[in-house]
Amino acid sequence: MSYLRRIFVGLGLCFVLSACTGAPAAVRSLEAPLAPLPSVTPVQTTSPQPAAVAIALPTAQTVVPTTTPQATVMPRIVLTADGPVTASMAQLNLSAEPYATLGDPNAPITVVEFADFGCEFCGRFHLLTFGAVKAEYIDTGKIYYVYKDLPVTSQHGALAAQAAECAGVQGQYWAMHDALFTEPRAWYGSAAGAQAQVQAAAVEVALNVGELEACIAAGSQTPNIDRNFAEAQALRIYGTPAFFINAKLLAGAHSAAVWREILDDELAALTAN
């Protein structure tokens, strides 16, 4: 039984501020209180606002990696069978993605997103904010973007993740990715309804539906999704969306204006160094 299937039973749905969170797996006994991951998540100094920290960061009750990632990194590429691993990905022990990437891996900033196709706030980010980030930073060579599946909130999120990866086999990952985000309610209903939505999305992006269904049935992309999930667990990420911008955490869905501020600050810091 795959890693996802072992943990999937019992995960609940919960929307907290600007993120979707699932029930975390049981943590090991406390070894030592360690510092949280470096973060660029906006934190309100007065009354809480919707853009505040959206998912739980590591505390003294959890165990985080003993090696704290560097604050800023410059590109250094390692080529693997599944694609490039940038320096900041390596810092976080993240694997390459064969299909779910955009941009130039030599870009000064690597952004890694963990998300669930059924997460309301993940969908909000992709429908309202991602287009601006893509046009202004990915398409202009400033960001290498990596998407990783973390289906912890929706009942059929793992099916949607497999559908997207299997579409990648046909060279249509991002078209399928976008289509799957347009109907997030489909991933909370019946299995038949979820399957019907996968088929509808496949037709919409002109995939070979038979090949897609065979790929899903064979589970050929399940190991990659399981690996994504394990990587999120190792980083103590239990909610979505969660982003790592050159190894620094940005939790929750934020506006394009917030992204511009964070990314421009990162680019300025890299230039200064």
Side-chain angles (χ1 to χ4, degrees):
M1 182 177 292
S2 74
Y3 189 90
L4 275 180
R5 290 177 182 140
R6 289 200 304 270
I7 61 88
F8 205 72
V9 176
L11 285 175
L13 168 66
C14 174
F15 295 123
V16 180
L17 296 179
S18 57
C20 309
T21 59
V27 297
R28 293 175 294 166
S29 59
L30 179 65
E31 294 176 0
L34 299 173
L37 291 169
S39 175
V40 291
T41 305
V43 178
Q44 299 296 326
T45 57
T46 56
S47 60
Q49 298 295 323
V53 174
I55 60 176
L57 297 178
T59 67
Q61 295 180 341
T62 64
V63 179
V64 298
T66 55
T67 301
T68 302
Q70 299 279 329
T72 302
V73 296
M74 291 299 290
R76 185 176 66 254
I77 310 301
V78 175
L79 296 179
T80 73
D82 286 332
V85 174
T86 66
S88 64
M89 292 171 68
Q91 282 183 286
L92 299 173
N93 293 318
L94 297 178
S95 60
E97 289 298 316
Y99 311 116
T101 65
L102 285 172
D104 182 356
N106 292 294
I109 296 176
T110 296
V111 175
V112 180
E113 176 186 5
F114 285 93
D116 183 339
F117 284 103
C119 166
E120 174 187 353
F121 294 102
C122 300
R124 183 178 300 177
F125 168 77
H126 277 276
L127 293 173
L128 301 179
T129 302
F130 183 69
V133 173
K134 182 177 183 299
E136 297 174 30
Y137 296 91
I138 299 174
D139 293 347
T140 57
K142 299 173 184 175
I143 284 180
Y144 178 58
Y145 200 92
V146 182
Y147 180 97
K148 287 182 173 286
D149 295 294
L150 184 55
V152 293
T153 64
S154 56
Q155 184 177 359
H156 303 295
L159 171 62
Q162 288 189 69
E165 297 291 344
C166 284
V169 176
Q170 297 187 40
Q172 292 290 336
Y173 175 84
W174 286 100
M176 188 65 163
H177 171 279
D178 294 345
L180 293 170
F181 262 125
T182 60
E183 292 292 340
R185 290 173 297 179
W187 317 123
Y188 293 94
S190 66
Q195 291 282 359
Q197 183 57 36
V198 167
Q199 292 176 350
V203 170
E204 178 184 337
V205 300
L207 294 175
N208 183 313
V209 178
E211 288 184 10
L212 182 79
E213 292 178 337
C215 176
I216 294 172
S220 63
Q221 299 305 309
T222 300
N224 182 50
I225 298 168
D226 289 347
R227 183 168 59 249
N228 289 178
F229 197 99
E231 289 170 351
Q233 292 271 294
L235 292 169
R236 299 302 185 257
I237 299 300
Y238 303 114
T240 55
F243 307 86
F244 286 94
I245 301 173
N246 276 359
K248 296 184 287 291
L249 177 65
L250 174 64
H254 298 275
S255 68
V258 170
W259 273 87
R260 289 187 188 101
E261 181 177 356
I262 292 170
L263 294 172
D264 289 347
D265 284 349
E266 181 67 12
L267 289 168
L270 290 170
T271 301
N273 291 337

